[in-house]
Every structure is written in C-alpha cells, then in structure tokens.
Amino acid sequence: MLHDRVLVREPREDGERRSSGGILIPATAQVSKRLVWGEVLAVGNHVRAVETGDRVLFSPEDRFEVEIAGDEYLLLRERDLHAVAAPRNDANTGLYL
C-alpha cells in the first residue's frame, strides 16, 4: 500500500436481513445512504490512525474496488474513513482530567 491508502474487506451480507424490531428485509431492498463497516487488511506508510485488523466505518460511495487473486477488496483513503473500532487502548486519549 502506498501513502494514505487503506485496503479494506467489506463483509458480504447475502440474503435477507432482520431489523432490530424483527422486520424481515429482503436482499433486493434498496438501502438509503448509510455507512458501512469493513476490516482493514493493509495500510500505507502515511496512515496514522488505523492499523491492520481494525474495523473502520466508511461511505460506500467513497470507494474504489480492486480484485486480488479472485477476491474483491476496497481501496480507500484515510481521510474517507469516518470511525475506527479497535481493541487497543492508547495512552494518549486526548482527555484532560
């Protein structure tokens, strides 16, 4: 990966889904603009806030698809990420008590 690029695998949600209220949503239903979670597989040398293995939140419209060895992945810029979910706990949280 080069510069500020992030390689992400988007989880496949084939088939029907259920809402939190128990309503069945068919696979063909069009979903309005909503952000998507994905898993980071690789990061460029200028990426600061994301590490391999993190889950990131991004817009499906800000992506480029790439096929590697028959599998499809997404190529994003770090600035296109909206949130990072990581198990690590950094000492510098930015909170002042």
Side-chain angles (χ1 to χ4, degrees):
M1 301 303 306
L2 296 174
H3 309 296
D4 66 340
R5 302 296 197 261
V6 179
L7 186 68
V8 176
R9 177 178 32 211
E10 183 179 10
R12 294 281 178 214
E13 294 182 11
D14 296 333
E16 300 172 338
R17 305 182 309 268
R18 285 204 181 269
S19 70
S20 59
I23 299 172
L24 185 65
I25 303 170
T28 58
Q30 185 72 349
V31 179
S32 63
K33 291 184 182 181
R34 88 186 246 207
L35 300 176
V36 179
W37 286 100
E39 179 186 359
V40 176
L41 300 177
V43 296
N45 56 350
H46 291 139
V47 175
R48 294 173 279 161
V50 181
E51 294 179 5
T52 303
D54 290 349
R55 291 186 63 219
V56 293
L57 188 65
F58 61 93
S59 172
E61 297 174 357
D62 297 333
R63 66 184 191 177
F64 294 99
E65 295 180 4
V66 62
E67 185 175 328
I68 302 172
D71 295 324
E72 291 187 13
Y73 301 99
L74 304 175
L75 191 60
L76 305 168
R77 293 185 140 203
E78 184 181 20
R79 69 179 182 204
D80 295 332
L81 302 178
H82 295 274
V84 178
R88 65 184 177 276
N89 185 6
D90 295 336
N92 298 329
T93 61
L95 299 176
Y96 298 99
L97 301 175

